[in-house]
Amino acid sequence: MPRSSATSHELARIELLAGLPGETIATLAKRMDRQEVAPGTAIMYEGEPGDRFYVVFAGMLSVSQRDRGNVGVLRPGDYFGEVALAMGVPRTATVTAITPAVVASCDRETFDELVRPVFAQD
C-alpha cells in the first residue's frame, strides 16, 4: 500500500529543506500528504487562492501562465506553491503533470510554521 505521508529521507533530498534540523524534517514529513498524479492532471491553477505548498518526488510537471505559456518544468527535488502562501497572492501559475508524478504537500499552517522560516534565511 502506498504511503500517505512523506518520509524524512525524501524531504532531506529537497535542497530547500535539506538544511532543516532532523526533528523539523520529521515533523514536516508526518504533516505532508503524498499524492500520485496522472499525466495531464493539473495540481493547481493560476489565479486560484493558494492553500498548499508542494514538493516533487518523482516525474515531471509543466509550469504555465496564461500570458506567457509554458514557463518551465519541475523535476524531482523541486518545489512549488510557495509564492501564493508567502506573499498572500493568488496562484501565479498552473502546474500540470507531464509524466506520472508523485508530489507531497502541506497546508498553510504547516508551511508557515516549518517551511516559511527557510525563505526568511535567504
Side-chain angles (χ1 to χ4, degrees):
M1 185 170 123
R3 289 184 51 84
S4 60
S5 62
T7 67
S8 296
H9 178 73
E10 288 170 319
L11 292 179
R13 291 173 32 204
I14 306 292
E15 186 176 343
L16 172 74
L17 306 175
L20 290 173
E23 185 177 299
T24 302
I25 288 181
T27 301
L28 182 59
K30 286 181 200 148
R31 293 196 201 166
M32 291 193 93
D33 296 321
R34 173 188 297 273
Q35 176 183 0
E36 292 186 17
V37 185
T41 302
I43 297 171
M44 66 184 205
Y45 292 94
E46 181 178 355
E48 286 183 333
D51 61 350
R52 298 192 76 75
F53 169 74
Y54 296 84
V55 295
V56 182
F57 289 151
M60 292 174 45
L61 307 163
S62 165
V63 180
S64 61
Q65 294 177 319
R66 278 190 283 278
D67 298 339
R68 298 175 56 207
N70 191 5
V71 294
V73 174
L74 298 170
R75 293 177 171 79
D78 290 335
Y79 56 89
F80 60 99
E82 76 285 358
V83 173
L85 293 176
M87 304 191 66
V89 297
R91 295 290 190 199
T92 59
T94 297
V95 176
T96 307
I98 299 170
T99 66
V102 178
V103 299
S105 66
C106 67
D107 61 19
R108 177 183 295 275
E109 182 182 339
T110 300
F111 175 84
D112 286 346
E113 180 185 342
L114 301 173
V115 182
R116 184 189 292 268
V118 176
F119 290 102
Q121 294 169 6
D122 290 348

